Amino acid sequence: MPGCFVHHCIVSPRRKPKHRSSSDSESILTILQVLDELLSAGTDRRIHYMISKGGSEALLQTLVDLARTESPDYGILLPLFRLLAKVGLRDKKFGQKALELEALDVTLILARKNLSHSQNLLHCLWALRVFASSVTTGAMLGVNGAMELLFKVITPYTQTCTRTIRVATEVLAALLKSKSNSRRAVNRGYVSGLLRLYQDWHCHDTVHAYMQIRRALLLCLKHIAALRSGREAFLAAQGMEILFSTTQNCLDNKTMEPVTSLVLQILRQCYPKCLLPLVTASSAYAFPVPGVIVSEPSCVLTEEDFEDDDEGEVDKDSDSEDLKEEDNDLETDVNKLSSKPGLDRPEDELKQYEAMCLELSCSFEELESRFGDDLNFEEIECANHYYIPTAAASPKHHGLNKDQSPWGLEREDIVQASILSMVKIERSTVHLASKKRPAMKADQNVDSNGLRIDSSGNGIPDVQASMKEDTWDIDAVSCLRMSASFSNSTRPKEIAKVTEKLLQTHPKDIPFHNPYLYMANARRSRSVADFKMMAFPDLWGHHPPSSAQPMLERKCGVQRIKIFEDVRRLIQPNDVINKVVFSLDEPWPLQDTASNCLRFFSKFESGNLRKAIQVREFEYDLLLNADVSGTQNQQWFYFKVSGMRAAIPYRFNIINCEKPNSQFNYGMQPVMYSVKEALLGRPTWIRTGYEICYYKNHYRQSAAAAGGASGKGCYTLTFAVTFPHSEDACYLAYHYPYTYTALMTHLDILEKSINPKQVYFRQEVLCKTLGGNPCPLVTITAMPESNSDDHLEQFRQRPYQVITARVHPGESNASWVMKGALEFLVSSDPAARLLRENFIFKIIPMLNPDGVINGNHRCSLRGEDLNRQWLFPRAHLQPTIYHAKGLLYYLSSKGRSPTVFCDFHGHSQKKNVFLYGCSIKETLCQAESTVDASTLSEDVSYRSLPKILDKLAPAFTMGSCSFLVEKSRASTARVVVWREMGVSRSYTMESSYCGCNQGPYQGLQFGTSELEEMGAMFCLGLLMLELRSISCSHQLLTRAAVLLNTEEEALDHHLHRCSSSNSSITTELEDEPPCMEEIDYNTDSSSDPEGGCFELDQQIQEYAFNMDNGKEEEENLGWERKAIP
Ligand SMILES: [Zn+2]
């Protein structure tokens, strides 16, 4: 209704513009007043309605008509401008309409005429401001000289007419969003003018009364800096120095906040881009692999390496596009979703896998004779630890050198409690523990590094007493040679002696670990760089802390401080050292041991650090090595640092990270292992570091290195560490390391720990990798009860479960989950026994041994992501995938496809543990496909395992699970096993690198215990799944009932509580809660600080208010102060 009214009222007088009488003017004025009142009341709906009825056009036309009269009537024009601004703000097409109706020109003319009449000028500027919100219209205003006009209004610095200056600056900022306008501004030399002006305002505005003017000036500079020529002009005009010096003392001043954050954006934008300080982007380790021609990417920085200025003038009002992008990746081709492709290889090739499934063919007698034989192991000096540690509880310490018989009864006695009882114990105690966290923090005396976690006596007293730390040459023991005979050192015997002495002192309380065996296995692991050293933590072992560590609280403003520190290198270079102290690319040693800088080392299994540069006395830039045969995937790090001083905060910046965001921004800490702490009885990887943040830096990868994509940006992970001891050797890593040698050692120990009369445990080689390392395949089940036909038949008929892990080498969390699963499966826990008796487990615990050994983050030695190779793997290129798939094909050909297939992974962006599965219906539904999903039949059983795990495992959450099939994932294990083998329960299990934001572990980072527990819980979940299935045998049900009954009450209660409390959360868990500090890890910040309708509305309202109250314009007062009622 109001719209029709407007239209009628305003448009009617227009018919005879030439003969407008004074009564016409009065009626227009009345109409404007009525309209203003109508539109001021109620919501924006009225305005939008009016716009839809052509209200904007009518107002603009009225403006043009009025302005074109010989002596325009400002009595009407001013209220008309106010109304225009109000409506224009809500009309996305307003700029366009103004352009078409020629309202731009008349407004500019009016503005020029009124340069000395601030009130009239102010009104014209309001109109210009809404016109300029469209970039195309803004460009047109620029062509017509709007910028010169505005520049005249705002310069030189004056404190009269601040209201006008403010709007003029804001209009200028809006105009500069247009690239052509920015270019014009650069050519006219406005950049230095704006900088001086900003400086003047900064100096004079000591009480911060004119923040909006200062902010608008910065916005002008920010828009200009989007152009390369703009950045050059900015640097030439000392822009970096000026903005840096105006801000460096106000970083934590809350009032200055709007200004500081903009300054920061501009400084980051203008910081000269440069290439990473590396001789080549290719990995420092070269491996000649079949089918890859290694071409050296050029390292000359070219123009293309930097993002080019976009010529187009684009309005950014299409906002909903991004949301759909994810859905576009969904597979909507029903054929692809539901058809089962044929074999990817000749059928007779499958025969070779018969030998890997002896359980299907061999008879019990053969089995018995096989296991009756001696196990024939080379280095049996180990395995003192025959009890099975449950992942749920920290293992109790055992005395040293206890000479137990390997398969004695003691072992069974130790673990009486079923893991089922752990479920409830864990749930309840952890719950309490997490509630008590502040107290825990206090008595641990946790410094900012989180050290001293174990000081409560978890150490081993006798070892501690007998060991004086200074008897050890830390440098000698912190990284040991695998074999003295290989040594080119002049003192091989002494080294051998040190090793011997060290291992004799080794606290043998670490379950399933043995340094001798580790050392023997390490010699067999083949690395590209031919590593000769072993990292101390891998050799000595890791004992998890008694409780999980809380996430790091992010200090507000930490990122800002770090970025200013970075900018300071450019502006105050006097304390910058810039000395390379470690580099894989230089064959000679880079530092004399006498110098007091830190020493770095990474040439050991899973190690990754390519270069270290001392930037300032206690600050180092670090560069990671790209995956072998590649130029990318820098994320995983693992290196040794020594020569430190205690109690000094060292800052480390890893400057060539690749992912655009990281859990390091949300409470995650890297891990550290101190050799001195280990020798003192605390051999523990702990979360460490503070002042952690992750942000985009000024380095670029060369276009060639980034695979043609021009100037891919790099990210910095920065953290500070205060080391616990002076002259220590510490290891720092992205996540708890777990090497290939650690796996092989673990498997050997597991094999020796089982009772072969009960547990069928077979370790064999699936295939050799490109690097020549055996990829292990493990089979676990129970020995047949007897050799009666019935029992043998039951043995052969057990369904399969297939679990794989660590296809991505940087995801060491997956290995810890796998470790937990393996230990649980061979344990004497009654539930584990039931699992063995009812299933055959085929486990490939490390699908990418080469990647793990060589410190890769994601790829194989060919530089390929192996989890994108499942569709067409080739035996000579991706052997582990080829044979893993072959094994699955073989099982499928025997009609023995696994009940569940699961591939363990680590997730760097999300918290908790969760599953990805495959569902046709959910995919089609999510993609809003036109295919009628209801006509498709689909077994919904893929949801039951995650539902069970949600109730069972503290770290697991159903809320993050997804069952969509993405096109980009068509070649992953999960999708291929689902489609080609028809396994409906085919999953990827993702474990966060960080920790949990729900459940009993909420707010805690994962330690290895929590990850191992997850592995055990996964297996337990498989048992629960079976108990729920229709095919579940009566016998299993009865036996499980006996087992479960003992725990029933507590468990039931618990499960019930979980399911009821989870039902609401399950729908959608917010991935990250809002952070105290807005995390701007990117220079191209998406948040638009330029203010919307509200601010301009407010200005106009305040103006009107003052007019009504008959106040003179108090030009010398800031808006802010006036706004306070
Ligand atoms: Zn992965």
Side-chain angles (χ1 to χ4, degrees):
M1 214 236 326
C4 307
F5 173 68
V6 180
H7 198 62
H8 181 74
C9 295
I10 303 186
V11 175
S12 311
R14 186 159 65 94
R15 283 177 195 146
K16 288 179 266 171
K18 299 247 162 82
H19 313 287
R20 180 176 287 127
S21 62
S22 61
S23 66
D24 272 350
S25 301
E26 268 169 40
S27 55
I28 294 180
L29 196 56
T30 319
I31 293 164
L32 290 175
Q33 276 165 358
V34 172
L35 269 178
D36 188 45
E37 272 170 39
L38 265 175
L39 297 181
S40 300
T43 62
D44 282 1
R45 267 182 62 196
R46 289 183 182 184
I47 299 184
H48 287 300
Y49 183 75
M50 185 186 124
I51 292 167
S52 74
K53 293 292 173 191
S56 301
E57 287 87 342
L59 291 172
L60 286 164
Q61 189 60 57
T62 313
L63 167 70
V64 172
D65 292 345
L66 283 170
R68 283 185 177 159
T69 54
E70 270 169 43
S71 50
D73 181 351
Y74 285 94
I76 306 177
L77 272 174
L78 297 193
L80 178 61
F81 272 129
R82 293 200 291 271
L83 199 59
L84 269 173
K86 185 178 279 179
V87 175
L89 278 172
R90 280 129 182 118
D91 184 351
K92 281 192 173 175
K93 299 253 157 53
F94 200 70
Q96 194 57 34
K97 290 173 185 171
L99 185 65
E100 280 160 15
L101 295 169
E102 296 171 13
L104 304 188
D105 298 342
V106 299
T107 312
L108 275 177
I109 292 166
L110 285 177
R112 278 198 196 97
K113 274 195 215 162
N114 285 291
L115 274 178
S116 52
H117 192 299
S118 71
Q119 190 175 318
N120 293 353
L121 180 60
L122 182 66
H123 282 75
C124 296
L125 291 174
W126 281 337
L128 288 175
R129 172 131 183 238
V130 287
F131 297 162
S133 58
S134 144
V135 178
T136 21
T137 313
M140 193 51 74
L141 281 168
V143 170
N144 291 333
M147 294 209 299
E148 291 79 354
L149 171 84
L150 295 166
F151 213 68
K152 218 177 274 180
V153 175
I154 62 176
T155 51
Y157 169 78
T158 165
Q159 277 209 14
T160 54
C161 306
T162 53
R163 188 177 299 193
T164 316
I165 289 174
R166 173 184 169 183
V167 185
T169 325
E170 285 168 349
V171 180
L172 185 60
L175 290 181
L176 288 169
K177 276 190 191 170
S178 140
K179 297 261 160 84
S180 59
N181 284 345
S182 277
R183 210 163 287 124
R184 194 170 289 120
V186 174
N187 293 339
R188 304 228 160 144
Y190 288 176
V191 174
S192 64
L194 287 167
L195 275 166
R196 303 287 161 257
L197 197 57
Y198 177 73
Q199 226 173 350
D200 285 335
W201 278 104
H202 174 80
C203 296
H204 292 100
D205 182 23
T206 46
V207 291
H208 306 311
Y210 300 108
M211 291 300 285
Q212 285 96 338
I213 293 177
R214 291 158 69 184
R215 204 184 61 153
L217 285 168
L218 289 172
L219 273 177
C220 291
L221 288 166
K222 186 190 156 191
H223 292 316
I224 292 173
L227 291 182
R228 188 190 307 146
S229 58
R231 293 191 290 271
E232 284 163 5
F234 179 84
L235 292 174
Q238 307 283 299
M240 297 295 284
E241 290 81 352
I242 292 172
L243 293 196
F244 183 84
S245 62
T246 54
T247 321
Q248 70 172 339
N249 298 325
C250 343
L251 283 182
D252 45 7
N253 181 333
K254 278 265 185 294
T255 333
M256 287 281 285
E257 175 57 38
V259 162
T260 317
S261 64
L262 264 178
V263 165
L264 213 70
Q265 286 180 31
I266 300 168
L267 291 177
R268 297 175 75 181
Q269 216 168 350
C270 295
Y271 198 108
K273 309 282 178 288
C274 56
L275 275 186
L276 288 167
L278 286 175
V279 287
T280 156
S282 308
S283 167
Y285 300 142
F287 181 75
V289 280
V292 167
I293 307 138
V294 183
S295 63
E296 189 67 3
S298 109
C299 269
V300 185
L301 192 60
T302 60
E303 283 290 285
E304 292 85 66
D305 286 336
F306 300 116
E307 61 268 60
D308 215 2
D309 299 335
D310 187 2
E311 288 298 316
E313 307 277 12
V314 196
D315 282 309
K316 283 188 191 163
D317 32 54
S318 52
D319 36 22
S320 57
E321 286 304 302
D322 301 343
L323 293 174
K324 277 276 146 193
E325 199 138 289
E326 266 183 25
D327 286 356
N328 284 342
D329 186 29
L330 294 178
E331 184 58 77
T332 49
D333 183 338
V334 183
N335 252 346
K336 283 194 176 166
L337 286 170
S338 53
S339 75
K340 192 173 162 179
L343 266 184
D344 67 355
R345 63 194 82 194
E347 207 177 328
D348 55 345
E349 268 205 22
L350 298 183
K351 282 204 188 89
Q352 60 180 304
Y353 303 104
E354 208 178 288
M356 295 180 198
C357 300
L358 285 181
E359 63 278 3
L360 288 180
S361 49
C362 71
S363 69
F364 181 51
E365 287 81 4
E366 290 169 51
L367 281 174
E368 199 169 38
S369 65
R370 207 162 61 80
F371 283 99
D373 288 348
D374 211 345
L375 281 174
N376 192 22
F377 262 96
E378 295 145 63
E379 289 91 2
I380 306 187
E381 311 175 46
C382 60
N384 297 323
H385 318 288
Y386 307 111
Y387 65 96
I388 307 298
T390 60
S394 214
K396 289 171 193 91
H397 296 290
H398 279 234
L400 301 177
N401 303 318
K402 219 186 239 176
D403 206 357
Q404 296 167 323
S405 87
W407 302 307
L409 285 169
E410 296 98 310
R411 181 170 52 92
E412 298 223 342
D413 295 339
I414 291 161
V415 182
Q416 274 310 319
S418 157
I419 189 147
L420 282 177
S421 62
M422 290 300 179
V423 175
K424 64 174 191 233
I425 292 167
E426 190 62 21
R427 284 279 191 172
S428 47
T429 53
V430 163
H431 218 74
L432 289 174
S434 56
K435 272 180 189 160
K436 278 194 296 191
R437 245 188 303 135
M440 178 185 84
K441 228 174 178 175
D443 62 45
Q444 271 172 355
N445 185 24
V446 182
D447 62 15
S448 36
N449 263 331
L451 279 168
R452 307 261 179 271
I453 288 295
D454 259 5
S455 57
S456 53
N458 223 355
I460 305 90
D462 20 343
V463 174
Q464 206 169 333
S466 69
M467 191 190 303
K468 289 216 171 71
E469 52 162 310
D470 52 7
T471 60
W472 295 100
D473 173 359
I474 294 293
D475 257 347
V477 304
S478 66
C479 202
L480 286 170
R481 287 199 171 266
M482 290 171 194
S483 160
S485 58
F486 278 114
S487 164
N488 54 8
S489 156
T490 49
R491 304 176 297 154
K493 273 191 179 164
E494 278 170 52
I495 290 171
K497 250 164 71 189
V498 168
T499 312
E500 191 57 31
K501 188 176 153 205
L502 183 74
L503 293 182
Q504 279 168 7
T505 333
H506 178 258
K508 297 171 182 63
D509 65 321
I510 296 166
F512 293 97
H513 182 74
N514 181 292
Y516 288 102
L517 206 49
Y518 188 92
M519 197 162 1
N521 279 322
R523 282 182 212 130
R524 288 194 285 263
S525 303
R526 295 220 222 155
S527 56
V528 172
D530 195 15
F531 298 135
K532 300 269 194 298
M533 312 295 272
M534 292 169 297
F536 185 91
D538 300 322
L539 175 72
W540 191 261
H542 154 74
H543 196 303
S546 52
S547 59
Q549 291 176 255
M551 284 178 205
L552 186 73
E553 262 179 45
R554 190 184 167 100
K555 264 200 275 171
C556 201
V558 56
Q559 175 182 283
R560 171 169 301 182
I561 293 163
K562 297 293 166 185
I563 289 170
F564 259 76
E565 276 286 289
D566 291 351
V567 174
R568 198 168 67 78
R569 295 187 196 180
L570 192 72
I571 290 162
Q572 297 164 356
N574 42 335
D575 66 340
V576 174
I577 301 169
N578 261 344
K579 181 180 156 201
V580 178
V581 296
F582 170 78
S583 171
L584 289 183
D585 301 299
E586 320 291 339
W588 53 85
L590 285 157
Q591 55 195 147
D592 46 304
T593 39
S595 80
N596 60 359
C597 65
L598 293 178
R599 296 186 291 279
F600 294 85
F601 189 71
S602 68
K603 283 188 130 185
F604 46 80
E605 197 180 333
S606 291
N608 191 323
L609 177 70
R610 181 174 193 164
K611 192 171 188 174
I613 304 165
Q614 185 178 24
V615 181
R616 284 178 273 233
E617 190 178 4
F618 300 112
E619 180 176 354
Y620 293 83
D621 277 358
L622 309 176
L623 289 110
L624 306 182
N625 196 15
D627 281 2
V628 178
S629 303
T631 57
Q632 288 174 60
N633 297 306
Q634 301 90 328
Q635 206 82 18
W636 168 259
F637 59 88
Y638 181 19
F639 58 87
K640 184 183 98 161
V641 54
S642 57
M644 66 282 285
R645 281 152 63 185
I648 282 181
Y650 286 89
R651 180 182 171 188
F652 297 100
N653 312 303
I654 297 176
I655 61 173
N656 64 338
C657 296
E658 270 189 351
K659 292 206 172 174
N661 198 1
S662 165
Q663 281 291 318
F664 284 119
N665 273 334
Y666 305 95
M668 180 165 95
Q669 296 170 288
V671 294
M672 184 176 82
Y673 186 107
S674 152
V675 172
K676 280 197 177 174
E677 283 290 305
L679 293 173
L680 288 169
R682 293 181 287 269
T684 301
W685 280 105
I686 51 164
R687 300 275 188 171
T688 197
Y690 51 96
E691 292 178 9
I692 300 175
C693 50
Y694 190 93
Y695 55 86
K696 196 171 187 178
N697 61 34
H698 66 279
Y699 289 106
R700 295 287 175 272
Q701 291 195 324
S702 68
S710 73
K712 225 175 119 192
C714 295
Y715 294 83
T716 291
L717 160 66
T718 183
F719 57 95
V721 173
T722 309
F723 295 104
H725 304 281
S726 285
E727 292 304 324
D728 191 3
C730 289
Y731 285 80
L732 288 163
Y734 184 52
H735 195 75
Y736 309 99
Y738 191 94
T739 62
Y740 170 73
T741 303
L743 170 71
M744 299 312 276
T745 309
H746 188 227
L747 291 180
D748 288 351
I749 296 174
L750 277 181
E751 183 158 10
K752 274 174 260 180
S753 77
I754 53 121
N755 178 347
K757 299 222 181 297
Q758 291 176 2
V759 183
Y760 178 102
F761 182 103
R762 204 171 124 84
Q763 190 198 154
E764 58 207 312
V765 177
L766 177 72
C767 61
K768 281 214 171 181
T769 64
L770 293 180
N773 291 294
C775 174
L777 165 71
V778 176
T779 306
I780 299 172
T781 186
M783 291 297 275
E785 242 177 88
S786 77
N787 59 359
S788 74
D789 286 351
D790 280 358
H791 284 148
L792 283 178
E793 189 56 17
Q794 193 273 342
F795 175 74
R796 281 191 285 262
Q797 288 308 315
R798 291 172 192 164
Y800 277 93
Q801 309 276 12
V802 175
I803 312 176
T804 60
R806 207 73 189 279
V807 70
H808 292 144
E811 295 166 2
S812 60
N813 30 9
S815 277
W816 289 98
V817 175
M818 179 56 90
K819 180 175 186 281
L822 286 167
E823 282 171 26
F824 177 65
L825 284 177
V826 302
S827 74
S828 56
D829 187 292
R833 210 176 295 169
L834 280 184
L835 275 165
R836 289 193 300 266
E837 283 163 4
N838 287 281
F839 298 109
I840 302 168
F841 288 86
K842 285 281 177 200
I843 297 174
I844 308 170
M846 197 174 274
L847 276 167
N848 189 356
D850 292 344
V852 170
I853 292 173
N854 293 292
N856 281 7
H857 181 68
R858 197 165 180 89
C859 295
S860 70
L861 288 187
R862 286 186 88 230
E864 287 172 329
D865 180 343
L866 289 179
N867 203 29
R868 295 291 184 279
Q869 308 297 331
W870 278 77
L871 273 178
F872 308 107
R874 311 270 299 275
H876 65 297
L877 301 178
Q878 302 94 14
T880 59
I881 305 303
Y882 182 83
H883 293 292
K885 192 176 174 184
L887 179 64
L888 282 154
Y889 266 139
Y890 175 74
L891 292 178
S892 170
S893 75
K894 296 278 160 195
R896 305 293 296 274
S897 279
T899 318
V900 168
F901 169 83
C902 191
D903 191 20
F904 292 171
H905 283 251
H907 203 290
S908 69
Q909 308 284 343
K910 290 185 167 179
K911 293 198 164 69
N912 312 308
V913 180
F914 51 93
L915 287 177
Y916 289 135
C918 303
S919 157
I920 300 180
K921 282 195 174 182
E922 292 194 30
T923 306
L924 292 176
C925 184
Q926 177 74 25
E928 288 167 14
S929 159
T930 47
V931 180
D932 184 8
S934 63
T935 61
L936 295 163
S937 67
E938 184 176 41
D939 179 4
V940 291
S941 59
Y942 62 87
R943 274 188 169 264
S944 23
L945 180 63
K947 275 186 190 160
I948 289 169
L949 291 175
D950 186 75
K951 291 175 185 172
L952 219 52
F956 193 92
T957 176
M958 185 74 185
S960 299
C961 295
S962 162
F963 306 95
L964 305 176
V965 182
E966 304 91 340
K967 287 181 205 149
S968 60
R969 305 289 147 88
S971 200
T972 60
R974 161 179 65 104
V975 177
V976 168
V977 173
W978 169 71
R979 265 189 75 209
E980 300 193 19
M981 323 292 165
V983 177
S984 64
R985 295 189 183 101
S986 174
Y987 305 103
T988 296
M989 185 159 86
E990 299 277 2
S991 304
S992 172
Y993 282 102
C994 180
C996 288
N997 60 8
Q998 53 80 46
Y1001 296 155
Q1002 183 168 20
L1004 298 176
Q1005 298 184 80
F1006 282 141
T1008 52
S1009 311
E1010 289 72 29
L1011 294 168
E1012 289 188 48
E1013 177 196 64
M1014 186 61 231
M1017 289 297 174
F1018 177 84
C1019 298
L1020 189 58
L1022 295 176
L1023 180 63
M1024 301 299 231
L1025 184 69
E1026 177 63 14
L1027 292 174
R1028 283 193 185 180
S1029 76
I1030 335 159
S1031 63
C1032 180
S1033 75
H1034 182 69
Q1035 200 206 356
L1036 174 61
L1037 269 180
T1038 336
R1039 293 188 51 198
V1042 175
L1043 173 61
L1044 287 169
N1045 271 340
T1046 56
E1047 339 273 358
E1048 194 175 40
E1049 211 170 295
L1051 188 68
D1052 264 11
H1053 173 74
H1054 179 72
L1055 293 186
H1056 185 74
R1057 189 175 58 84
C1058 278
S1059 53
S1060 57
S1061 67
N1062 270 7
S1063 55
S1064 56
I1065 313 164
T1066 308
T1067 45
E1068 202 46 61
L1069 264 173
E1070 194 58 42
D1071 203 17
E1072 289 304 337
C1075 185
M1076 289 215 307
E1077 175 181 18
E1078 194 193 333
I1079 293 173
D1080 175 25
Y1081 49 84
N1082 214 325
T1083 43
D1084 10 276
S1085 169
S1086 54
S1087 62
D1088 185 7
E1090 289 168 54
C1093 305
F1094 179 71
E1095 276 192 34
L1096 187 54
D1097 268 358
Q1098 207 183 12
Q1099 285 184 47
I1100 297 171
Q1101 258 168 34
E1102 281 163 12
Y1103 175 87
F1105 175 80
N1106 289 330
M1107 297 266 285
D1108 291 349
N1109 289 291
K1111 275 191 204 160
E1112 282 300 301
E1113 247 195 289
E1114 293 166 82
E1115 282 286 4
N1116 287 331
L1117 277 179
W1119 284 94
E1120 260 196 336
R1121 285 190 282 170
K1122 262 203 248 172
I1124 299 160

